[in-house]
Amino acid sequence: MNEKKLVLILDAQLPYVRKADLPGTVEESWFFHALTFTYLPLLRSFTALETEGVPFYAAVAFSPQLTEMLADPLLQIRYTEHLDASIRYAEQILSGGLPGVPGETWKKAAAIHLDLLQKNRRDFTEIYEKNILKKFDYFSERGYLELMATAATPCFFPFYKDIPEVVNAQIETGLMAHRMHFASIPDGFWLPALGWFPGVEKSLKAYGFRYSAVENIAFLFSESPPPAGVFAPAVCGNGFYLFPRDSFASTELYGEPGGRCFHPAYLDVNRDIGFELDGKTLEPLFDLTLGRRVTGFRCMARGVPEKSGASSSVLYDPDAAARQVEADAAAFLDAGSGMLSKASSFLEGEPVCRTCAFPASLFGCSWYEGVAWLESVFRQAAARDDISFARPSFFLSKRGTEKPKNPPPVSPVFSSWFENGYADELLNGANDWIYPYLRKASERMVDLAERFPGDGGLKERVLNTAARALFLAQSLDWPLMMNDPVNAEYARSSFEENIRAFTTVYESLGSNFVSTEWLTEMERKQRLFPFMNYRVFSRRK
């Protein structure tokens, strides 16, 4: 049996951007972009692999924010309308009926994008009936994908290690959301941003999870590194398993400037007509008053960086990009096989694995050819005998059939998958002002759950609204966006809106008066977690 395995985990996460009263926002286009370039192409690749009998194994962690948006009828309708508008726009460019589009350059962009749009339109409306979650569930039921649960919102757990009620509430609500959309019972739990702190394994094990993933430094800097280092899952003292993420795999794919996705032959995803054409020319595509955005109409290759910092302008060649995809897939497998062979020799032939965890948006959104690369990796791995893919549960099942060796338990240290392995991106001068509000709101939510343990009716609706608002405020999307001047204002207003909603509930309960009009409006806006139960914030007795 091949004992050198690649474990692939995709973090499928997106901010909650549903605005019932304001269609066409830039933030809504992020959701459309993810569907167009990542999730629908992924399903096409998986379908092709299954049809041709090519094995492919991976784990995917869908955030409840994303699954709620994917299952939302309003957003499904808006996405269909977005596809139709984009298809009409592409056809206008190709027919020459759109003044202001310069020369043949953007006609090529239209031709490239139109083909993808038409495939997506057919798949989304005819095959998946506007709900792609069912197809991911299908691949899970057939053993190709392992669907991991994750937190209710991407909350950075280490910041709440002294408020265990927050961690438990995030885990429990995330698990409930998973069960609402998928048939599988998840074995694994994805920690947002791989935020680990000692002791969180107890909460995860208590909810029935068997494994998670951590950044490799969590093992390497611990007082008792596991014998296999970062080349095999290790077990905590309570029997909970951890897969160490190989950060070098991420550097290999998208580390700047030498990552594979930056090859000169690949499409330059930053050269988009949404930022290059004048407003009048773009009017049929989107409302410019709501902000410029990525449209998907692109036709320039990345090119070779020049001394000035810019890149040479080269038209995109799909054939050249396809050849590079094949070469990069082979190189990735070669590097993984070589690394695992050395590790296996040092470990006297013990089974070894390389855990590669990536943001799902890398494939398609950040790297246009990323989905094709992933499909090529699966195809080439199936034809090799030196390395293959496995789902995380493969290793857990092997533990049950092998003679126990009783390795010493691992004690991972605080870590994350951010650049330096900690949390500088989440706690700095641009965003540190939010945490006093979050801490106070979290403590108050625990207090409310204790003060009103059995309330129903209007008061229960109000408390559930407070819990939703707090979950959304705890999302690490906001502090991350605050580091970016382009999105900082949106992040600030979103955070403040949710903290304000929570505070309104808290003060209303104190004065024993709640505006039913305000409550109804909030429930209409907050379509997350229809099963919400504020009691998840209660202290464990």
Side-chain angles (χ1 to χ4, degrees):
M1 181 182 290
N2 187 342
E3 297 298 340
K4 292 184 293 183
K5 301 291 185 181
L6 288 171
V7 173
L8 174 66
I9 304 176
L10 300 181
D11 174 26
Q13 203 279 124
L14 204 65
Y16 190 68
V17 296
R18 184 187 190 274
K19 299 289 184 183
D21 298 330
L22 190 60
T25 62
V26 173
E27 297 77 39
E28 189 178 77
S29 74
W30 301 343
F31 172 68
F32 297 160
H33 195 65
L35 265 171
T36 297
F37 291 97
T38 296
Y39 298 108
L40 287 167
L42 268 178
L43 286 178
R44 269 196 299 278
S45 285
F46 292 161
T47 300
L49 292 168
E50 182 196 35
T51 301
E52 297 173 37
V54 179
F56 62 97
Y57 303 107
V60 184
F62 278 101
S63 75
Q65 292 185 135
L66 179 55
T67 55
E68 291 290 320
M69 291 191 293
L70 289 171
D72 190 302
L74 175 65
L75 290 179
Q76 290 170 356
I77 292 171
R78 286 185 181 175
Y79 180 61
T80 306
E81 293 171 347
H82 163 79
L83 286 174
D84 290 339
S86 298
I87 289 171
R88 287 194 301 270
Y89 194 77
E91 290 172 342
Q92 281 183 281
I93 293 176
L94 291 172
S95 66
L98 195 65
V101 177
E104 295 297 315
T105 300
W106 293 115
K107 285 189 176 182
K108 182 172 183 178
I112 293 171
H113 195 37
L114 179 59
D115 179 61
L116 177 65
L117 291 169
Q118 290 173 333
K119 290 177 180 176
N120 283 346
R121 179 68 164 78
R122 178 204 63 204
D123 292 354
F124 186 69
T125 59
E126 298 177 18
I127 298 178
Y128 308 131
E129 298 178 332
K130 299 183 181 179
N131 190 343
I132 67 171
L133 295 174
K134 294 178 183 178
K135 192 63 175 180
F136 280 104
D137 208 23
Y138 165 88
F139 286 123
S140 171
E141 291 173 353
R142 277 150 183 77
Y144 294 112
L145 298 182
E146 197 158 291
L147 298 178
M148 300 174 66
T150 187
T153 56
C155 169
F156 193 66
F157 283 5
F159 287 172
Y160 301 92
K161 66 179 182 179
D162 61 332
I163 314 179
E165 295 81 11
V166 167
V167 174
N168 290 333
Q170 283 278 354
I171 294 172
E172 185 169 335
T173 305
L175 178 58
M176 292 168 67
H178 180 97
R179 290 177 172 173
M180 187 175 79
H181 293 289
F182 300 112
S184 63
I185 298 175
D187 273 343
F189 186 91
W190 174 262
L191 293 163
L194 295 189
W196 171 271
F197 69 88
V200 70
E201 72 277 11
K202 297 176 183 177
S203 294
L204 294 171
K205 184 73 180 260
Y207 280 99
F209 296 106
R210 300 172 65 198
Y211 72 87
S212 187
V214 292
E215 188 67 9
N216 54 14
I217 65 169
F219 281 14
L220 297 177
F221 293 169
S222 67
E223 293 182 1
S224 56
V230 297
F231 294 104
V235 65
C236 298
N238 66 341
F240 189 78
Y241 284 90
L242 292 172
F243 287 79
R245 172 183 180 258
D246 183 1
S247 59
F248 295 107
S250 301
T251 302
E252 180 182 349
L253 286 196
Y254 58 91
E256 294 191 60
R260 297 193 184 281
C261 73
F262 298 109
H263 191 278
Y266 290 144
L267 185 70
D268 187 346
V269 295
N270 297 315
R271 294 286 304 275
D272 189 285
I273 66 169
F275 300 98
E276 301 206 5
L277 297 187
D278 63 77
K280 188 169 182 59
T281 307
L282 292 169
E283 275 182 2
L285 195 55
F286 63 87
D287 184 352
L288 200 66
T289 63
L290 296 175
R292 288 183 177 268
R293 77 282 309 275
V294 173
T295 67
F297 289 86
R298 302 164 291 207
C299 64
M300 304 304 294
R302 289 188 180 273
V304 179
E306 298 176 341
K307 292 182 179 180
S308 63
S311 297
S312 56
S313 296
V314 180
L315 277 175
Y316 179 65
D317 182 351
D319 293 332
R323 291 192 294 271
Q324 189 60 42
V325 161
E326 296 297 313
D328 282 339
F332 179 80
L333 291 172
D334 288 342
S337 178
M339 180 186 297
L340 293 177
S341 293
K342 291 180 181 179
S344 182
S345 66
F346 283 120
L347 296 170
E348 301 178 347
E350 287 290 311
V352 289
C353 72
R354 186 187 195 193
T355 301
C356 304
F358 306 111
S361 59
L362 169 66
F363 303 99
C365 290
S366 303
W367 180 14
Y368 178 74
E369 297 81 5
V371 175
W373 175 88
L374 189 58
E375 181 178 336
S376 180
V377 166
F378 283 132
R379 291 183 182 278
Q380 293 190 40
R384 300 172 63 141
D385 57 9
D386 60 333
I387 194 168
S388 61
F389 281 87
R391 293 178 290 112
S393 59
F394 167 84
F395 292 91
L396 274 61
S397 62
K398 278 184 68 67
R399 297 278 178 173
T401 58
E402 294 177 343
K403 183 180 179 180
K405 297 183 179 180
N406 296 321
V410 66
S411 301
V413 297
F414 161 64
S415 56
S416 77
W417 76 350
F418 294 116
E419 186 173 354
N420 67 2
Y422 300 107
D424 292 358
E425 292 84 348
L426 297 179
L427 188 60
N428 55 54
N431 53 35
D432 57 1
W433 62 272
I434 72 175
Y435 293 104
Y437 295 98
L438 282 172
R439 299 279 303 180
K440 178 58 70 175
S442 298
E443 292 168 357
R444 285 177 166 178
M445 189 67 238
V446 176
D447 178 59
L448 290 175
E450 292 294 305
R451 284 167 51 196
F452 305 103
D455 286 78
L458 182 64
K459 189 171 287 186
E460 183 176 29
R461 289 169 55 195
V462 170
L463 288 163
N464 285 339
T465 295
R468 289 191 193 95
L470 180 57
F471 277 144
L472 288 169
Q474 289 170 341
S475 170
L476 56 78
D477 293 317
W478 314 135
L480 287 177
M481 287 184 192
M482 288 174 192
N483 296 320
D484 178 7
V486 175
N487 296 315
E489 183 55 37
Y490 170 72
R492 183 185 185 96
S493 63
S494 297
F495 173 79
E496 290 178 345
E497 178 184 1
N498 290 306
I499 283 293
R500 193 179 301 115
F502 175 85
T503 304
T504 298
V505 170
Y506 187 78
E507 293 177 349
S508 297
L509 290 171
S511 63
N512 203 29
F513 172 78
V514 177
S515 168
T516 54
E517 183 180 352
W518 176 87
L519 176 60
T520 302
E521 178 64 14
M522 288 302 301
E523 289 176 332
R524 191 177 66 84
K525 287 182 178 180
Q526 293 181 343
R527 299 299 294 270
L528 274 168
F529 314 132
F531 51 82
M532 188 72 242
N533 185 343
Y534 69 92
R535 300 171 189 83
V536 294
F537 283 95
S538 300
R539 294 186 179 93
R540 297 296 185 262
K541 301 297 189 289

